[in-house]
Each structure stands twice: as C-alpha cells, then as structure tokens.
Amino acid sequence: MGAVISFIAAMAIYFTSSFKNTEREYTIYSSMEEPTLPVIYADIEGFYANIMHGYLQDMGNKAVSDCVTPLPENRKLGLKIKIYDNSISEFSYEIRSLDLEHYIEKTVVTNFTAGPDGDIYTELPIQNMINKDTPYLLKISLGLGERVVNYYTKIIWTDNDSIYRMLETAVDFTTKTFNYEAARDLTVYLETDPNADNTTLGTVGINSAFSQITWGNSGMKLSSDPEVSVREYDGMMGAIEVRYETETPGDDAETIDRYSNVDEFTMRTGSDRIYLMNYERKTNQIFEGSKHLFAGNRIRLGITSKEALQTKKSDNSRFIVFKTNKELWSYDQRARKAVNVFSFRSETDKIRANFDNYDIKILSVEDAGNVDFVVYGYMNRGRHEGYNGIVYYSYDSQSDTIEEIFFIPISDTYENIKQEVDELCIKSSTGMFYVKQAGAVAAIDTTSQEMMAVVSGLSDDRFAVSNDQTKIAWIEGGSYDENSIKVMDIETGGTNTVTEPGEVLSVIDFYNRDLIYGIRGTSDNWIINGKIKGKPIHSLKIIDPDMNLVMQYEKTGLYFEDIKLEGDRIHLVQYRKGEAPYTYIFASRDTIVSSVEEGEQYTNFISSSDSETKMRVYYVDLDETIKTTKNLKVEAPGNISYERSGSIELAGHRDSNEMRFFAYANGKLRGIRYSLEDALDLCYDDMGWVTDENSVVLYSRADKSSAYTIRDPYSAAQPMVLAIEKQDFTDDMITDDGYAILDAQGIELNRLLYYVSKGYPIQANLDNGNYCLIYAYDRTSVSIYYPSENEGLSQRVIMDAEEAARYFAGYQSDYICFMKYPGH
C-alpha cells in the first residue's frame, strides 16, 4: 500500500506546480446541463477504485462487465459516495447470481456518515450466503428524492489477496513511464519486438520500444489523479485499467496540449510476484480549438489513432466535420470558424462528464453547415443523464442550435450498443434513419418519428452490411435452410430477392456494394458426431447493386468453407466429400483477389506525419490554406432544443436459445461471436478472456497454470458425461444442474488446456461413439484417460503434446469442454 500512497502524494505536489501559469487559449464545452448524479467508489484494501456511474434505468446484469470488486475476508465492502449536491433518502443493495435466476440478499443500509471531504462513507454488511470464488451481481440503489439511481458491479469473495499487488503494480507501472530512469525497472515486464509499430504514441503495447513506453521526446507529464478499475478478476487473473490525463507543451511556450490516456494491464498471480501478461496504452489528444492547431492547409488533431477519428464533408466542400476523442467539431473553410458541435466534457466536473462509455457518429453534413449525428452509450449529462441509449441530434448552423430529434433508451452496455452501431447506423437522403440493435434493423422517419421494423432475429451468418452501409442483406425467414436472400437499398428503401431454385443460400459479406453469397445443396451439411461442423457451399457468387452477376466461383468436386473477406481478398478453404455421409476432407486453400480496392468511408480527409517530439501526429486536411488565425472564431452552439424530441422503443429481440460469446482483450470488447472457437480467435493472442451474455467468464488465457493434473478424471468428468448422455449434445448449453457444456470442435488442444487447469477434463470424441478424457498436462506432454465399462480395463496414456494434437486431428479435433456455471 505504501507505493500507492507515495504515488498519490507525489502527484499532489506535481499538480500544484505543473503548468501553473499556463493558460489555455480556448475552453469550448457544451452548454448542456452539468452532471447531477453521485458516483460510488469501492474500497479495495484501502485503495478507492472501481468508480461506478449511476443509471436511472434498470440495467439487469448488463452493467456488471464494467468492473469486478473483490470482497475482503469479512465481506464488509467499504464504499465512498461522492454525493455532490444530492441528499440520500434511501440506501439499499441486493445480490443476485449473474444470470439473475437466484436472489441472494437484499439489505437496507442505515449506517453511513459524511467525511470531512463532504463524501459519504459506509460499509455493506454482505451476509455469508455467497460462495467463495463465485462471482455475483451487486446492485446498489440510492434514493435521491423522487429519483432512484442504480449502481452495478460484479463481486467475488476469494481467499487470494493478489488484487492489491495487481493495483499497486499497475499504478507503479503507469507512474514510472514518466521518469526515464525509474522506468528501467519496467524492462522486466516488456517484450520489445523490432517488428512492432514504433512510430506512434497513440497506441503503445508490451512489444513497443522502451522510448515509446517512456513517451519519447514529447515532454509528457501527468496532470490528473489516476482512476483505477478492476475490469476482470478471479483471484488468479486480473485485468486492471488506469485512466489519467497528461499535458505536453504545444508549439510554443505559451500553449499546452492535453491528452486523455487509458492503460490496460492483464496480470497473473505467481508464487513470488505478479506477472504482466499484456499491456496496452491508448493516448488521444483533447482537441480544444486552440489557434496553434490551425495552420496552413490542415487542422492538427495531434496524438491519437485513426480508428478514433471520423470525418464528413458537405457536398460544396465548405464545411468539414470531424470527430476526435469523442467530441464533434465543424469547420467553416470560408468564414474561418470552428464550432465545437458536441461535447460531454466539463471544465468544472471531469469525474462524471469525462466518463467515456459513449461515442459519436456523424450522419450527414449539409451545404449550409447543418449536421445530423448520433450520440450513443452512456449519457454523462443533460436530459438523459444516467441512461444508456442512442440520441439523434441535428445542429442548425444558422440558428446556432442543437435540436434533439429523438432518444432510444437501450438497457445494454455501451460496448454492445457500439458493436451494432458500427455495423449499421445511417441516415438516408430521404430522411430515414436505419440502425441495428438487439439483432434487429429498425427504420425511423426523422420527421414524423415513426418506426418501422425491417428485420429481426439476425446473427452473423444471416446478415451483412456494405462498407458504406447503403446496402444490407439477410436470409429471409426464421430457418437456416431458407432459399432466398433479401437485399435492401438504404437510400431508396427498396428490396430485391435472390433465389436459387432447389438450393440453400448463405450470406457471406459485401465487397464495397457488391454482395457475396454462397450456394449449397439441401443435404450438404458437414456433421461430426451429431454436431454440425459446417455448411460447405459448392458455388460462390458476387452480384452488383443492380443485381447483375459479377463473378461466379466454383470447382468440380470441391466445396468451400471458412470464407473470410480481408481487404481486397477473399480467403477460403476447399474440401472434397468423404466416403461416409456428411463428411468432408481438406483439399487446399485458395484466395480470390479483387482488382478494385475498398475505399475509406470515415477518414477520407485525414492524414498523418511524423513529429520530432510527438512521433505520429494526425491532421484534418483542408481545401483552403489558413494564412493567419487572427480572425479565426472558435464557438459552441448557444442553445439546445428538446421541443420536438420523443422517446422511441426498439422492438428487437434475440434467439434466447443461441449462446453468444463475448471476446475481451486489453479491457475492451473485441467482438461477439456464436462459437467459442471464433471468440478465442479474436482475443487469444492478446491474453484475453471470453464471457457469455451474463458476464460469466468461460475462458481466460492469462489464468492457465503451466502444468496441472486431475487426480480422478473419471469422477471429475461425470457432470459432462451424464449431461451428454441425458441430452443429445449438438450445441453449447447450460445444464439444469448448473454446468456449461461447450462445443470446442476444431480448437487447438493447447488452448483448451485452460479447462484442465481449472479441474475439468476435456472430452475428445473418437470413432463409433467412443471417447477419451484429457486430464493432465505440462510443458511438453498431455495425459489421456480411456474409460471402460469395466473400470479395471481403463487405460492412462502420456503423449507428447504435438503428437497428441496430431492424434486428435485424425478424429476431427472433436472436443467437448465443460465447467461449473457460477451461481446457477
């Protein structure tokens, strides 16, 4: 704890002196109402962390993915509540299982006191009705007069006390990067790779050069208290997030540039120390409209990453609108005027207003400078503070007003909302707004606010969107064996139908605005031990927006699977039919190359160059040169109007029988997939983890021992074996007695040894309904148990790890994994 206290003390001294006399030229922020809701911190072994922001909607179990709070041995969880201008009329908490099926406890809190700092301090006397090493949902409710505000965290009660050492290591690492000599202590953690990108400070990782880790020649200095959160923790693995602001000198001694930073650490507890498994730092300049950022034929956005930017230009090229670091700006090239169209930031309230679980998307820019855009995720301030959802705004440059058109409340996480907004969120030229949420596409008339459901029940292999989001395609009907595809033109609202008589169709993807789809026979399923491994196609077709055939790809006797579009290439694997029904044998791999590249959609007017002090720096490119900034105006909209605004409820729904896998790495959601194999592919290389809809961790690469042995594999495997015998296992499932049974067919054996390290044998299916159990491993070998009806005839074999992988590959690598489902 001493290192953490020293760190905070050192920063307090630094803040009072650093840049003390430096004035920022502009501070442009929204005229929206300031935040009003309290925030709550958890006391984790004397360190206040895991800031919880309030929700005015019931989030169920969706918000628990934000943080995990370990409980002390006595289960008394200390809290600090920054109450601001509120007063508490009611205070209670409840605990449930993560799937919400089991209600554990509800308690009214009456013992809380005000500290000398004005904050409220209390302890939650959590009862002994929870199990150790089992995660639960904790919901805290504060009554603030007529409003009840909810706060959420996942909690875990464990004997392992490594969380404090993880927090200490993370804070120490972040601090030392600002001192070149002190940072030498960090080299024990680094895995510098000469092939890593060493040209940027925007994204820095464990493989980066030491000079990048220590901020190069930028002169970067800390300028805020750290905000630390535990993103995931199970006693052995921890994902720690540290947020802070920094400053560097600007182009001259009279200006400064400010930055928001996020450090993500993935750690593992060792016998003697904490091991850093992965590290990533993101840095984004806070664009404040200072005059030194406007020069020549460009606007300097500074240190950032290209994926954090978006630009759009009016047809007459007068107005260019850009999003940077989750703020929206418009620049009038003729009048030399920059407008901070939208920002949640506040000069007086950084804790609540700067919470970044939201983002912005530009929809349209008119010749008169009017801008339509959406803000989605958590609403930090204003009319919808405390809600998750999507707000549609329209900025009128003539009246200097932002008008809220409608609000869509969504009780889901920001990351889940973002996944589907990134897929489809567009305004057509006719004024229709199309958005995908909860596996459904809705069309909303921005004038009348009437909503039309376009299609629902979508999954990855039933739906595709063109790169510019002007075309969508989906399999028609509720069955996976339908023989028609609907193709919709967003601009016109018209649809076309693709059919192939007597065949079954599958949506592959769009290349630019050309649809790629597959054709297969009604019986062409690849089935292994009763489970559908794949649905190979015998023909691949590409059609243009006018439904004309552009290309057809097929080869006599060959079938295609694992079709992926990467850049201007279509990669696929070719198979031949086996002798046995529903079997396929690998033949070769192939790649189809397009002669036309996909164009940039959101960063057309962005460029970058190398700076002597700040490495790669990004710019907005202008059509007209700024010769002087003497008459440059920097403003923000003066008014916000809610006169026409309404609330719209979307009608999307998901297939509750289909398990989805959420892949996380470096503290962020990488993607949502419908198989464990695909989810692992997204996060495995970055020491990530996989959860289900309920934030139950189903896999964690960093939480795997180097060796493990299950002493009695036959007994340990019985929950899986009995469940499979009782219920014909064809897909991932949660059993009635609380076990997750997972289809791991095709996954590398080495990856699956995680389950063995947790005490769960892996079932490997062999011929004729036989199977064996993988129950032990070390660095070079695995141990296999072949059960028999006569226990005396059972056999144990030790096999070289690589040899074992080849052996099971001969049986199609058909594995089944299982684990106890926490709290079920």
Side-chain angles (χ1 to χ4, degrees):
M1 184 174 178
V4 176
I5 295 174
S6 300
F7 167 71
I8 295 173
M11 284 200 305
I13 296 171
Y14 166 77
F15 296 147
T16 60
S17 59
S18 176
F19 297 111
K20 186 174 181 180
N21 298 316
T22 306
E23 295 292 336
R24 288 197 298 278
E25 190 173 4
Y26 291 102
T27 304
I28 301 296
Y29 294 111
S30 172
S31 57
M32 186 179 292
E33 304 92 329
E34 290 289 328
T36 63
L37 301 180
V39 295
I40 298 178
Y41 294 85
D43 182 352
I44 303 177
E45 299 197 28
F47 190 84
Y48 284 109
N50 281 4
I51 184 171
M52 290 172 262
H53 294 263
Y55 291 89
L56 292 173
Q57 65 196 132
D58 187 349
M59 293 293 291
N61 60 5
K62 295 301 182 183
V64 296
S65 61
D66 288 346
C67 61
V68 182
T69 303
L71 300 180
E73 179 58 33
N74 64 6
R75 300 179 310 283
K76 293 182 178 180
L77 176 59
L79 299 177
K80 178 176 77 170
I81 306 172
K82 291 192 75 65
I83 199 68
Y84 298 102
D85 295 327
N86 299 283
S87 59
I88 299 175
S89 57
E90 297 177 35
F91 189 169
S92 65
Y93 70 90
E94 64 179 52
I95 299 173
R96 294 178 181 267
S97 59
L98 288 182
D99 61 4
L100 302 180
E101 294 295 324
H102 298 278
Y103 189 86
I104 311 297
E105 175 188 353
K106 183 167 185 178
T107 301
V108 175
V109 179
T110 57
N111 184 22
F112 50 92
T113 58
D117 53 4
D119 298 333
I120 301 295
Y121 293 83
T122 188
E123 282 186 343
L124 304 187
I126 295 173
Q127 301 176 32
N128 63 353
M129 294 184 291
I130 61 174
N131 297 320
K132 282 198 171 182
D133 300 313
T134 300
Y136 294 91
L137 163 67
L138 170 65
K139 174 183 174 182
I140 302 168
S141 297
L142 299 182
L144 308 177
E146 297 180 353
R147 300 189 297 179
V148 176
V149 191
N150 300 314
Y151 301 82
Y152 301 86
T153 180
K154 188 159 49 172
I155 57 172
I156 186 169
W157 183 32
T158 177
D159 289 330
N160 197 316
D161 62 354
S162 62
I163 185 59
Y164 170 75
R165 289 185 291 154
M166 290 182 178
L167 292 171
E168 184 180 52
T169 300
V171 171
D172 184 62
F173 189 109
T174 295
T175 310
K176 285 180 175 176
T177 64
F178 296 93
N179 184 315
Y180 191 86
E181 292 303 319
R184 295 186 186 279
D185 295 343
L186 306 179
T187 56
V188 66
Y189 299 118
L190 304 181
E191 300 173 7
T192 301
D193 183 350
N195 296 317
D197 183 0
N198 61 3
T199 64
T200 177
L201 294 177
T203 300
V204 174
I206 198 170
N207 302 124
S208 297
F210 184 72
S211 60
Q212 286 175 280
I213 297 290
T214 53
W215 303 98
N217 299 319
S218 65
M220 194 75 73
K221 294 184 179 181
L222 278 165
S223 60
S224 77
D225 291 327
E227 182 183 293
V228 184
S229 297
V230 183
R231 293 301 310 274
E232 192 55 71
Y233 181 70
D234 65 2
M236 295 297 293
M237 183 278 285
I240 311 298
E241 180 178 272
V242 181
R243 292 178 174 270
Y244 53 99
E245 287 192 359
T246 55
E247 295 178 334
T248 65
D251 292 344
D252 53 63
E254 297 179 356
T255 60
I256 62 171
D257 293 332
R258 295 197 301 148
Y259 306 85
S260 57
N261 311 270
V262 183
D263 288 7
E264 302 285 357
F265 301 86
T266 304
M267 303 180 183
R268 189 178 190 281
T269 304
S271 58
D272 56 342
R273 66 182 179 91
I274 297 296
Y275 291 89
L276 182 60
M277 309 301 289
N278 204 18
Y279 162 73
E280 183 179 78
R281 180 177 74 210
K282 291 283 190 181
T283 297
N284 291 287
Q285 182 164 334
I286 301 170
F287 186 85
E288 297 180 288
S290 301
K291 285 187 176 181
H292 74 280
L293 302 175
F294 297 79
N297 60 350
R298 56 191 187 178
I299 302 170
R300 179 161 63 86
L301 304 181
I303 300 171
T304 185
S305 53
K306 196 170 184 179
E307 61 268 20
L309 307 174
Q310 186 194 354
T311 59
K312 208 173 189 68
K313 190 183 290 186
S314 61
D315 288 342
N316 63 4
S317 296
R318 175 175 174 176
F319 295 89
I320 185 164
V321 178
F322 57 94
K323 180 200 75 171
T324 180
N325 203 8
K326 302 188 177 184
E327 292 192 56
L328 188 62
W329 287 79
S330 174
Y331 180 67
D332 184 341
Q333 299 192 84
R334 186 183 304 168
R336 299 286 192 270
K337 184 173 77 170
V339 179
N340 189 184
V341 177
F342 186 90
S343 175
F344 271 145
R345 295 188 187 278
S346 167
E347 185 68 10
T348 60
D349 191 325
K350 295 183 179 181
I351 292 176
R352 295 176 293 180
N354 289 6
F355 182 45
D356 76 343
N357 268 19
Y358 72 94
D359 209 343
I360 300 169
K361 183 171 182 182
I362 307 165
L363 298 175
S364 65
V365 182
E366 296 179 359
D367 286 347
N370 301 333
V371 183
D372 279 19
F373 62 99
V374 294
V375 179
Y376 58 92
Y378 182 85
M379 302 299 147
N380 295 1
R381 53 194 290 202
R383 189 181 190 188
H384 306 292
E385 179 189 2
Y387 284 87
N388 267 10
I390 301 172
V391 187
Y392 191 111
Y393 288 110
S394 184
Y395 166 63
D396 188 311
S397 66
Q398 307 303 311
S399 64
D400 192 33
T401 299
I402 290 180
E403 181 179 15
E404 181 181 302
I405 306 302
F406 55 78
F407 173 58
I408 304 172
I410 302 174
S411 297
D412 207 343
T413 67
Y414 155 65
E415 290 184 312
N416 291 354
I417 294 171
K418 179 176 175 57
Q419 286 283 316
E420 293 189 291
V421 165
D422 286 347
E423 282 188 81
L424 181 64
C425 178
I426 189 172
K427 175 193 174 186
S428 74
S429 58
T430 60
M432 294 295 292
F433 172 66
Y434 291 83
V435 66
K436 181 173 182 280
Q437 285 294 302
V441 174
I444 302 171
D445 188 317
T446 56
T447 301
S448 67
Q449 299 186 27
E450 294 181 9
M451 188 194 73
M452 176 184 70
V454 177
V455 60
S456 61
L458 300 173
S459 59
D460 287 346
D461 54 356
R462 297 175 56 81
F463 178 72
V465 186
S466 64
N467 193 33
D468 64 0
Q469 298 193 1
T470 62
K471 289 276 191 176
I472 61 175
W474 67 90
I475 297 291
E476 183 73 352
S479 168
Y480 280 83
D481 289 331
E482 291 293 333
N483 62 355
S484 67
I485 297 174
K486 286 288 186 183
V487 183
M488 183 175 189
D489 187 317
I490 294 294
E491 283 300 314
T492 66
T495 60
N496 288 294
T497 303
V498 178
T499 60
E500 299 283 346
E503 304 276 26
V504 178
L505 305 186
S506 57
V507 172
I508 305 297
D509 210 334
F510 277 91
Y511 184 79
N512 284 318
R513 301 177 72 233
D514 296 341
L515 173 65
I516 308 169
Y517 69 94
I519 307 169
R520 64 185 176 91
T522 55
S523 61
D524 288 342
N525 285 334
W526 185 355
I527 299 177
I528 298 176
N529 294 319
K531 304 191 299 292
I532 295 179
K533 153 70 176 174
K535 299 176 180 180
I537 66 174
H538 61 73
S539 182
L540 192 69
K541 285 189 176 183
I542 302 178
I543 57 174
D544 66 16
D546 296 322
M547 309 300 287
N548 299 313
L549 181 65
V550 174
M551 191 198 77
Q552 182 168 356
Y553 178 87
E554 57 186 21
K555 294 184 179 180
T556 303
L558 290 182
Y559 296 80
F560 316 124
E561 258 283 321
D562 301 319
I563 304 167
K564 295 178 181 178
L565 179 64
E566 295 181 357
D568 61 349
R569 287 168 167 78
I570 303 172
H571 301 284
L572 49 84
V573 183
Q574 301 179 141
Y575 296 89
R576 299 186 186 276
K577 279 194 174 183
E579 294 183 3
Y582 305 112
T583 62
Y584 291 81
I585 301 169
F586 173 80
S588 62
R589 299 180 185 274
D590 200 2
T591 299
I592 305 170
V593 182
S594 173
S595 60
V596 181
E597 293 186 5
E598 279 197 303
E600 293 270 3
Q601 293 299 321
Y602 303 115
T603 54
N604 287 331
F605 316 110
I606 296 293
S607 64
S608 65
S609 65
D610 294 333
S611 162
E612 290 184 5
T613 58
K614 297 174 182 176
M615 306 182 79
R616 184 183 300 148
V617 175
Y618 285 90
Y619 300 87
V620 176
D621 295 326
L622 303 176
D623 300 307
E624 300 185 24
T625 301
I626 302 173
K627 296 179 180 179
T628 177
T629 57
K630 182 178 180 180
N631 297 319
L632 177 70
K633 299 177 181 178
V634 183
E635 302 174 353
N639 303 293
I640 299 178
S641 170
Y642 303 105
E643 186 177 340
R644 288 199 303 137
S645 180
S647 183
I648 298 175
E649 295 285 344
L650 298 182
H653 68 278
R654 298 192 185 278
D655 184 352
S656 59
N657 296 321
E658 193 169 22
M659 185 178 290
R660 296 193 300 160
F661 297 87
F662 295 70
Y664 291 87
N666 295 319
K668 303 300 179 189
L669 179 65
R670 287 290 179 85
I672 304 169
R673 296 293 183 266
Y674 287 83
S675 73
L676 178 61
E677 180 181 18
D678 290 343
L680 286 182
D681 287 343
L682 289 179
C683 65
Y684 185 83
D685 290 343
D686 289 323
M687 292 290 171
W689 62 94
V690 177
T691 75
D692 70 349
E693 295 264 7
N694 301 317
S695 294
V696 171
V697 175
L698 301 176
Y699 186 95
S700 174
R701 185 183 177 188
D703 189 12
K704 174 191 162 191
S705 306
S706 59
Y708 196 86
T709 299
I710 300 171
R711 298 300 176 188
D712 185 357
Y714 180 82
S715 298
Q718 287 310 293
M720 170 177 58
V721 173
L722 295 175
I724 293 172
E725 290 178 353
K726 179 180 178 181
Q727 182 174 346
D728 185 25
F729 177 70
T730 58
D731 207 352
D732 310 295
M733 64 182 182
I734 308 298
T735 65
D736 292 339
D737 53 349
Y739 286 90
I741 313 293
L742 305 173
D743 180 10
Q745 202 280 331
I747 301 177
E748 294 176 25
L749 177 58
N750 182 58
R751 295 185 175 188
L752 296 179
L753 296 177
Y754 161 80
Y755 294 98
V756 177
S757 75
K758 292 301 179 184
Y760 303 107
I762 302 167
Q763 177 172 314
N765 292 318
L766 308 173
D767 286 339
N768 303 317
N770 297 315
Y771 69 89
C772 62
L773 300 172
I774 301 164
Y775 70 93
Y777 68 92
D778 56 27
R779 297 185 185 276
T780 61
S781 65
V782 297
S783 299
I784 304 167
Y785 175 86
Y786 292 87
S788 169
E789 292 183 6
N790 184 341
E791 188 66 19
L793 297 178
S794 61
Q795 181 183 6
R796 297 180 186 233
V797 174
I798 299 177
M799 192 177 296
D800 176 81
E802 293 184 3
E803 179 187 353
R806 291 192 297 270
Y807 169 69
F808 291 117
Y811 295 103
Q812 306 293 333
S813 300
D814 187 22
Y815 306 111
I816 301 175
C817 298
F818 82 109
M819 59 177 283
K820 184 68 178 176
Y821 194 78
H824 187 77

